Amino acid sequence: MPELPEVETIKRDLDKVILGKKIIEVCVHNPKVIREPAVGKFKEGLTNVTVKNILRKAKILILELSNGKSLTIHLKMTGQLVYPGGGAKSRVSFHFSDGMVLDFNDQRLFAELRLLDDWRALKFIRGLGPEPFALSLGQFKNMLSLKKTKIKPLLMDQKFISGIGNLYAAECLFRAGINPEKPAQSLSDKEKAALFKEIKDVLNEAIEHGGSSVDDYVRVSGRPGGYAAHHKVYGRQGKPCLICKTPIKRISLGGRGTYFCPKCQA
């Protein structure tokens, strides 16, 4: 699933190609991705409107429109936005007045598109924890001190802190030298500070490289992101640690595959 860096990359890409443009037609090729309202109302509310602003909240994209409504896009596992569009795999196509098309693709139909009067009222958004970039070190330390949960699943809990998923939780913990099974409240102040720094550094680096294309994620241009080449542990099971040469281990934690170095993160 695209995480904060991937969705932020898409947001910035969209800023360059559709911001300020008018949508003149919406073609729905598969209605399963339209969660609300009904397809007819969805198309009607998106016709002859201009994209006034593009936001990102955690892993959700928000297109604010000239009619006061907003289109929210949750990419989930396999959602993609591709421009210029017109591809055969498109589930929804947005046609602009300049003749260009933005395709929404979703192979597994897990994604969610909603046309809302107020995106802030969306239950998922109201339940989000703070984003990493909005926190101070002191706030982050206090948040961890209250949690007995293992640190890796806690970082993935969108109600605790939003935007971090499986991939970046693993990368941040490796760079901070913290075992993913360690209870959050047992971390020392030094470990908390190191983790806080690495979360911001890793997310920023991933954004700079256009995100990580390890599954279906692509940038709006259709090209892959470049950060996967910089992964330290994710997807490297059995390969030597880049620091100590110990084979990277993979375990199941919180129902997800978790990669770590048994020596560097002892």
Side-chain angles (χ1 to χ4, degrees):
M1 178 185 296
E3 301 179 27
L4 187 155
E6 289 73 47
V7 182
E8 178 64 22
T9 297
I10 293 171
K11 184 262 181 197
R12 296 182 185 188
D13 286 349
L14 289 175
D15 277 340
K16 298 174 183 177
V17 296
I18 69 166
L19 188 61
K21 291 188 177 182
K22 178 183 283 190
I23 303 170
I24 60 169
E25 184 182 9
V26 178
C27 298
V28 177
H29 310 295
N30 193 314
K32 289 185 178 180
V33 296
I34 311 300
R35 301 306 172 97
E36 60 177 302
V39 172
K41 290 288 186 182
F42 182 86
K43 293 171 67 174
E44 180 183 339
L46 283 161
T47 302
N48 292 320
V49 297
T50 300
V51 180
K52 293 187 64 177
N53 194 22
I54 304 173
L55 307 171
R56 178 195 55 77
K57 293 296 179 183
K59 304 176 186 180
I60 290 186
L61 283 164
I62 303 156
L63 274 60
E64 294 184 329
L65 308 168
S66 58
N67 61 359
K69 296 181 182 293
S70 296
L71 173 65
T72 65
I73 304 171
H74 198 170
L75 297 170
K76 294 295 184 79
M77 297 295 292
T78 57
Q80 299 173 337
L81 288 165
V82 177
Y83 180 101
K89 296 181 180 179
S90 175
R91 305 301 191 182
V92 180
S93 297
F94 302 90
H95 295 253
F96 295 91
S97 58
D98 62 356
M100 301 300 286
V101 179
L102 174 69
D103 279 350
F104 178 78
N105 305 330
D106 182 20
Q107 181 182 355
R108 300 179 67 182
L109 298 174
F110 289 158
E112 299 180 359
L113 274 61
R114 290 181 165 88
L115 183 64
L116 304 171
D117 291 327
D118 182 6
W119 61 263
R120 297 167 187 81
L122 187 62
K123 183 178 179 180
F124 178 81
I125 289 177
R126 286 191 286 110
L128 287 172
E131 292 202 0
F133 300 124
L135 290 171
S136 67
L137 175 57
Q139 290 171 321
F140 185 67
K141 286 181 176 180
N142 288 336
M143 288 166 62
L144 293 179
S145 68
L146 302 172
K147 296 293 184 178
K148 298 179 181 179
T149 312
K150 294 176 181 178
I151 186 61
K152 168 81 172 351
L154 183 63
L155 290 178
M156 295 170 57
D157 183 352
Q158 300 303 293
K159 294 181 179 179
F160 176 74
I161 189 169
S162 60
I164 302 173
N166 192 34
L167 192 164
Y168 293 107
E171 291 294 309
C172 295
L173 288 168
F174 171 76
R175 288 176 43 158
I178 297 171
N179 189 290
E181 296 187 280
K182 193 167 185 177
Q185 65 179 14
S186 72
L187 268 61
S188 67
D189 280 349
K190 183 178 179 180
E191 288 175 319
K192 291 175 183 177
L195 179 57
F196 184 68
K197 176 182 182 299
E198 295 301 345
I199 287 173
K200 292 193 173 185
D201 286 352
V202 167
L203 295 179
N204 275 321
E205 288 171 17
I207 292 169
E208 288 174 8
H209 287 89
S212 299
S213 290
V214 294
D215 293 310
D216 295 275
Y217 164 72
V218 292
R219 300 185 63 162
V220 169
S221 64
R223 300 193 309 268
Y227 194 63
H230 301 271
H231 293 174
K232 308 298 185 185
V233 288
Y234 186 85
R236 300 191 67 249
Q237 179 183 8
K239 295 181 179 179
C241 172
L242 298 175
I243 294 177
C244 72
K245 308 305 180 185
T246 301
I248 297 299
K249 189 175 181 181
R250 182 186 186 276
I251 60 172
S252 180
L253 187 60
R256 303 297 300 276
T258 295
Y259 301 88
F260 70 105
C261 173
K263 184 175 180 181
C264 293
Q265 295 173 261

